Amino acid sequence: MLIAAFGTVFKPFLRDRFLHLLVLLGVILALFQPAKIAQFPQFVDWDTIVTLLGLLMLTKGVEVSGYFDFVGRKMINAIDNERRLALFLVMAAAVLSTFMTNDVALFIVIPLTITLKKLTSLPVTRLIIFEALAVNAGSLLTPIGNPQNILLWNKSGLSFLHFTGQMAPLALITLVALLVVTWCCFPSHSLKKLESNQGYPFQKRLLICCVTLYAVFIACVDLGLALYGLLVVILCFLMLARNVLLRIDWPLILVFIVMFIDVRLIVGLQVLHHAFAQIHRLPDYGHYLLSIGLSQVISNVPATILMINYLPSGPLLAYAVNAGGFGLAIGSLANLIALRMANDKKIWLRFHFYSFPFLLFSGVAGWLLLALFAN
């Protein structure tokens, strides 16, 4: 039993090529900055890691409780049209991300979508891609929709409504475009229902426990006590459902830890320091393109943290880093979470088929809106 559990946890680490690539990059970068190896623990945003791990556990707990299977069956009985169901889930992901942050929205919508794969002929992989795009489009609207907006809002001194009004034009245009593309990519025909015995039996006690723990954990995060909240979650699962802890995507946690280290090592390269010092000399379109470009290389949250040292936390930077969440999967941490949760190797290539056009569209739309506001 112990050997089987050991294999369940560690086999995914051996198969995770993306994690291996990040580790290799970190080793190469560390060769140029060996003195910083001792600082690796300081490079990691442990609050983010703890929050992510807690949400992963709670989402998996709800999944194991069988609730997503229960809701999925109710949903396909109410909405049996592929296009309408896709539009509903994409819109739900976008709306939830405006006030629950993009990663939390994904933890609600994607497990439910994966459940639908067992119940219908719905093209789930494509739908998860659109949900990932939806949380990027929806979360850019409000100051609390994503981490970069939280940082920009705190630095800007704007009110909640003022910041939301500033972002509303880009959010509206991007979301409308996404809904139009969703309409075109999902045909309007009845879903073929599958007779499936897969899934988990509904465990009401475990569901109630997960919902209660979710409220406790979020309260702990808000109070700055995320680690204590995580310990409570782990202890409860150890007593009630140990199999939940074995089914967590543990390599995803390590991916985020290594990413934090890699980004700090990249930014710390001496050869880049002189280039960063010249940022203030660039014209506005140079600042805009650089912010988008950095988001594609180091993700939009680190790009925001870097660029806010050289640019004001105004609409130009806000539009650029939010548009930069599209494009490469690494552009937004929410993309990585969504694609990992899909557990489909083919989704990584397919994601970019849709995400790059949205990077181009949102980038151009953002620049045109900035020019319009300036006039």
Side-chain angles (χ1 to χ4, degrees):
M1 180 71 72
L2 182 60
I3 295 176
F6 195 81
T8 300
V9 173
F10 284 95
K11 274 185 179 179
F13 287 92
L14 300 176
R15 298 173 179 173
D16 198 317
R17 298 291 178 260
F18 185 60
L19 173 60
H20 301 163
L21 182 62
L22 290 174
V23 171
L24 178 61
L25 176 61
V27 171
I28 294 172
L29 290 170
L31 292 176
F32 294 95
Q33 306 170 75
K36 293 187 176 180
I37 294 176
Q39 302 175 37
F40 281 3
Q42 302 169 32
F43 292 168
V44 180
D45 186 339
W46 291 109
D47 288 337
T48 297
I49 298 299
V50 168
T51 302
L52 176 61
L53 181 54
L55 291 172
L56 278 173
M57 289 182 177
L58 291 168
T59 303
K60 182 58 69 172
V62 174
E63 180 184 340
V64 172
S65 77
Y67 184 68
F68 289 133
D69 296 86
F70 174 77
V71 172
R73 295 180 190 278
K74 294 285 187 181
M75 184 177 292
I76 61 175
N77 287 332
I79 310 175
D80 64 351
N81 180 278
E82 181 175 317
R83 177 178 290 163
R84 288 202 297 268
L85 184 56
L87 287 169
F88 173 78
L89 288 170
V90 167
M91 193 64 192
V95 172
L96 287 173
S97 67
T98 62
F99 60 90
M100 296 184 71
T101 74
N102 49 12
D103 51 355
V104 175
L106 289 172
F107 283 120
I108 295 173
V109 176
I110 290 186
L112 176 58
T113 305
I114 293 173
T115 295
L116 295 177
K117 185 177 183 179
K118 298 177 289 187
L119 305 175
T120 72
S121 57
L122 188 70
V124 169
T125 297
R126 189 193 315 156
L127 184 53
I128 290 176
I129 291 171
F130 278 75
E131 288 167 351
L133 298 175
V135 298
N136 283 324
S139 67
L140 71 85
L141 175 63
T142 65
I144 59 173
N146 53 49
Q148 66 268 21
N149 278 5
I150 294 173
L151 176 60
L152 291 166
W153 180 41
N154 289 334
K155 293 285 187 178
S156 68
L158 298 175
S159 67
F160 186 97
L161 289 178
H162 192 167
F163 187 95
T164 302
Q166 168 188 284
M167 303 303 295
L170 181 59
L172 179 61
I173 290 174
T174 307
L175 183 56
V176 168
L178 179 60
L179 291 175
V180 169
V181 176
T182 303
W183 177 281
C184 296
C185 290
F186 291 87
S188 180
H189 59 60
S190 297
L191 288 169
K192 179 182 178 182
K193 298 181 182 180
L194 306 176
E195 294 296 330
S196 173
N197 295 321
Q198 295 180 357
Y200 300 96
F202 189 22
Q203 304 176 59
K204 191 173 181 179
R205 180 188 175 196
L206 179 57
L207 174 64
I208 294 173
C209 176
C210 290
V211 172
T212 304
L213 286 173
Y214 183 87
V216 171
F217 182 69
I218 293 299
C220 288
V221 172
D222 288 340
L223 294 172
L225 303 172
L227 182 58
Y228 294 100
L230 178 63
L231 292 176
V232 171
V233 171
I234 293 174
L235 287 174
C236 287
F237 280 131
L238 282 173
M239 292 185 292
L240 293 176
R242 296 182 183 180
N243 59 326
V244 170
L245 301 179
L246 296 177
R247 297 176 183 273
I248 300 298
D249 186 1
W250 291 105
L252 177 61
I253 301 299
L254 190 54
V255 161
F256 274 77
I257 291 173
V258 178
M259 276 186 63
F260 279 120
I261 295 173
D262 286 358
V263 167
R264 289 292 297 272
L265 288 174
I266 291 172
V267 174
L269 289 172
Q270 195 65 36
V271 69
L272 297 179
H273 287 181
H274 177 71
F276 290 147
Q278 307 303 314
I279 289 177
H280 68 281
R281 297 185 179 181
L282 294 172
D284 284 347
Y285 70 84
H287 293 150
Y288 188 74
L289 292 175
L290 179 60
S291 299
I292 292 177
L294 282 174
S295 298
Q296 296 298 291
V297 177
I298 62 174
S299 191
N300 55 6
V301 176
T304 304
I305 295 171
L306 174 63
M307 293 300 292
I308 208 168
N309 293 308
Y310 305 97
L311 300 178
S313 54
L316 185 147
L317 181 56
Y319 276 25
V321 294
N322 277 286
F326 299 105
L328 289 173
I330 199 175
S332 168
L333 298 183
N335 295 338
L336 297 178
I337 292 173
L339 300 185
R340 292 292 298 243
M341 291 179 74
N343 195 26
D344 182 350
K345 293 180 180 179
K346 295 180 180 179
I347 196 174
W348 293 85
L349 184 59
R350 293 176 182 175
F351 172 80
H352 294 98
F353 177 78
Y354 295 100
S355 63
F356 275 115
F358 271 94
L359 172 63
L360 179 62
F361 176 83
S362 60
V364 172
W367 181 252
L368 292 176
L369 288 168
L370 289 170
L372 180 63
F373 294 152
N375 295 328

